Amino acid sequence: MVRQTRQRAAVADALAGLDDFRSAQQIHDLLRGDGIEIGLATVYRTLAMLASEGVVDSIRTPDGEQVYRRCAVTGHHHHLVCRVCGRAVEIDGPGVETWAGRVAAEQGFSDVEHTLELTGVCAQCRGADSGLSPAPK
Amino acid sequence: MVRQTRQRAAVADALAGLDDFRSAQQIHDLLRGDGIEIGLATVYRTLAMLASEGVVDSIRTPDGEQVYRRCAVTGHHHHLVCRVCGRAVEIDGPGVETWAGRVAAEQGFSDVEHTLELTGVCAQCRGADSGLSPAPK
DNA sequence: CATGAACTTGACAATCATTCTCATCAATAA
DNA sequence: TTATTGATGAGAATGATTGTCAAGTTCATG
Ligand SMILES: [Zn+2]
Ligand SMILES: [Zn+2]
Ligand SMILES: [Zn+2]
Ligand SMILES: [Zn+2]
């Protein structure tokens, strides 16, 4: 059975207060910074569990790091992430879903899955495109 | 200036004979197996260079490994990869490109980029979905 | 063809994210 | 309360990728 622990609650809480993707290590630092004692391995384990339950989304940054986010939307969807500040917007692409299925079928593939992520520069960051601090980290 | 070396030619040749994605270490093993002397670091460097030149495509496997493939198509495109045998098919999704641009604009994002990969099970692998050896590695 | 500046190479060390180990702790059913 | 068993965490281990730097090559030039 799955037990309720102080650590798991802490990770969930941390995710609840964020609106962009964070790595396991960042979450760990956040919690430690708040004086919460938790091991790095536990953060990794908890995030992996939440992700497999579908409670949080996880994607890989271009440099291969896994990052997690608790999304407003549940179920399958994609993201549009600001390359500057990290802000993320939920996207659902019905068009993409059907396109993927069709293309796969045409090639004789079945059980198709897909990954799709968009990146760009958000309005706020575009305006202040100097070295200024964009949006809160 | 960029110099022509035995090692770089070897990596290019290896890629030319493959139709699925391979990691730097796999390429290295292949070459060594053929009696070609080359350092692992050189393989990494060469692949990274080829990728940045756009000569080869590289994507990340679900477990975070970078894999490379020399594609028939040049320019921006996506892939449909068989989860069983690794065979890859080039896909170009004009629909997806415009969709991505529109969605980003609606959210006030600019300079949009995207990553998109499809995975599935190819016709051959579906037929023989036992523990049999699917297509040649 | 001979030369040398600059680019390449490769053995090995160093990073770095993530996972594993396993003794200890703690949630919870009874 | 107490036994059972999942959960935790410090530190080791893993594994891909990158950095180091002395020694080897390439090739424009004379
Ligand atoms: Zn932004
Ligand atoms: Zn989708
Ligand atoms: Zn391709
Ligand atoms: Zn296949």
Side-chain angles (χ1 to χ4, degrees):
Chain A
M1 68 164 304
V2 177
R3 293 177 180 172
Q4 169 61 28
T5 68
R6 174 175 55 76
Q7 292 87 339
R8 286 176 186 173
V11 170
D13 284 351
L15 286 170
L18 267 43
D19 69 337
D20 50 2
F21 287 90
R22 297 297 175 93
S23 70
Q25 315 223 29
Q26 288 177 312
I27 302 281
H28 181 245
D29 290 346
L30 268 181
L31 294 175
R32 283 298 185 84
D34 287 353
I36 297 169
E37 282 187 31
I38 185 171
L40 182 55
T42 300
V43 175
Y44 272 103
R45 279 188 296 242
T46 304
L47 287 173
M49 165 175 283
L50 291 174
S52 78
E53 287 173 2
V55 179
V56 302
D57 266 19
S58 82
I59 60 180
R60 246 176 224 285
T61 64
D63 37 279
E65 248 187 334
Q66 281 276 11
V67 286
Y68 303 83
R69 179 186 186 212
R70 160 143 163 230
C71 293
V73 186
T74 66
H76 177 83
H77 63 278
H78 304 285
H79 302 97
L80 171 55
V81 183
C82 174
R83 276 192 295 275
V84 179
C85 67
R87 194 192 329 281
V89 178
E90 255 89 51
I91 301 288
D92 61 349
V96 177
E97 313 302 321
T98 60
W99 172 83
R102 180 164 42 75
V103 166
E106 284 171 6
Q107 300 290 337
F109 279 61
S110 58
D111 302 297
V112 61
E113 292 178 11
H114 63 273
T115 63
L116 167 62
E117 298 300 333
L118 306 181
T119 64
V121 178
C122 74
Q124 280 180 51
C125 292
R126 179 154 16 100
D129 55 7
S130 27
L132 307 178
S133 73
K137 245 305 174 39
Chain B
M1 67 166 304
V2 175
R3 293 177 181 173
Q4 168 61 26
T5 67
R6 173 175 56 77
Q7 292 88 337
R8 285 176 187 172
V11 171
D13 283 352
L15 286 169
L18 268 46
D19 69 336
D20 50 2
F21 287 90
R22 298 295 176 93
S23 70
Q25 314 222 28
Q26 287 177 312
I27 301 280
H28 181 245
D29 290 346
L30 268 181
L31 294 174
R32 282 298 184 83
D34 288 353
I36 297 168
E37 283 187 30
I38 185 172
L40 181 55
T42 300
V43 174
Y44 270 103
R45 279 187 297 243
T46 304
L47 288 172
M49 167 176 282
L50 291 174
S52 77
E53 287 172 1
V55 179
V56 301
D57 266 20
S58 82
I59 60 180
R60 248 176 222 284
T61 63
D63 36 279
E65 249 187 334
Q66 281 275 11
V67 287
Y68 302 84
R69 180 187 187 212
R70 161 144 162 226
C71 293
V73 187
T74 66
H76 177 82
H77 63 278
H78 304 283
H79 302 97
L80 171 55
V81 183
C82 175
R83 274 192 296 274
V84 179
C85 67
R87 194 192 331 281
V89 179
E90 254 89 49
I91 300 290
D92 60 349
V96 178
E97 315 301 321
T98 57
W99 172 82
R102 181 164 42 74
V103 167
E106 285 172 6
Q107 300 289 339
F109 279 60
S110 59
D111 303 297
V112 60
E113 292 179 11
H114 64 275
T115 64
L116 167 62
E117 298 299 333
L118 306 181
T119 64
V121 179
C122 73
Q124 280 180 50
C125 292
R126 180 156 13 105
D129 56 7
S130 27
L132 307 177
S133 74
K137 244 314 174 32

